[in-house]
Amino acid sequence: FRIVWGAISDLLLCGERLITLTIILSIGLLGSILNLILPWFQLSYVVFAVAILLGASLLSWQGVLQTFVAEISDKNQTGVILGTFMTFSGLGIVISPVLFGLITDVFSYFWSWFMVMLSTTFSLIGCIYLKYRRNKINKRKLLGTLKM
């Protein structure tokens, strides 16, 4: 799905990475919410649909995010910034399953998925905020060039 999201971002959304990330995170949030209530629906097609939602979103958004980070970074620092980003992403990939399992063992499966939903919500809010800030900065630049 990473390649599909990259194609959607480039071809359909004209390189608007934040919009693509917002769509991906919205799908992931829906999947997380459905997974919270999944124990009450033991139907195999519901489990299958949630697995597809989560696989198509939360497991495949890193490529678009990495491209976004590269595009907004200073051109002279792109390598350092991407290296740092990928290091912390790699740590998250290692730590997250352990943390998920620990929360499940200590509390319950519900609370593990609640934490996934919560982190997805914060990421979504961050993307929306970045898009808002970027639009605000672009409007200021446009007004500044019009005054000249």
Side-chain angles (χ1 to χ4, degrees):
F1 277 98
R2 288 182 186 195
I3 295 170
V4 172
W5 284 120
I8 289 170
S9 179
D10 289 341
L11 302 174
L12 296 178
L13 298 173
C14 302
E16 285 288 337
R17 309 287 181 234
L18 284 174
I19 292 173
T20 308
L21 288 170
T22 302
I23 292 168
I24 294 170
L25 288 168
S26 297
I27 293 169
L29 183 59
L30 175 64
S32 298
I33 291 169
L34 288 174
N35 222 0
L36 280 174
I37 62 172
L38 195 60
W40 292 286
F41 300 101
Q42 295 294 330
L43 304 170
S44 59
Y45 65 88
V46 174
V47 174
F48 183 72
V50 170
I52 288 175
L53 281 176
L54 292 172
S57 58
L58 297 183
L59 297 178
S60 60
W61 70 305
Q62 295 88 353
V64 176
L65 183 61
Q66 184 176 338
T67 303
F68 176 69
V69 168
E71 289 175 350
I72 65 169
S73 64
D74 180 34
K75 299 304 174 203
N76 295 326
Q77 297 293 318
T78 303
V80 173
I81 291 170
L82 277 177
T84 304
F85 170 77
M86 292 175 74
T87 299
F88 284 103
S89 293
L91 285 172
I93 290 169
V94 171
I95 293 170
S96 295
V98 175
L99 190 59
F100 186 90
L102 181 66
I103 293 170
T104 300
D105 290 344
V106 173
F107 298 104
S108 71
Y109 181 77
F110 173 87
W111 290 108
S112 297
W113 280 107
F114 181 79
M115 294 305 290
V116 171
M117 184 200 68
L118 198 62
S119 65
T120 304
T121 301
F122 286 135
S123 298
L124 183 59
I125 290 168
C127 281
I128 292 168
Y129 175 74
L130 282 174
K131 182 67 177 163
Y132 167 77
R133 290 281 299 155
R134 193 177 239 189
N135 286 344
K136 197 171 182 179
I137 290 169
N138 288 341
K139 284 180 185 176
R140 281 189 199 149
K141 286 180 182 178
L142 180 64
L143 288 175
T145 56
L146 291 176
K147 288 181 182 179
M148 298 177 135

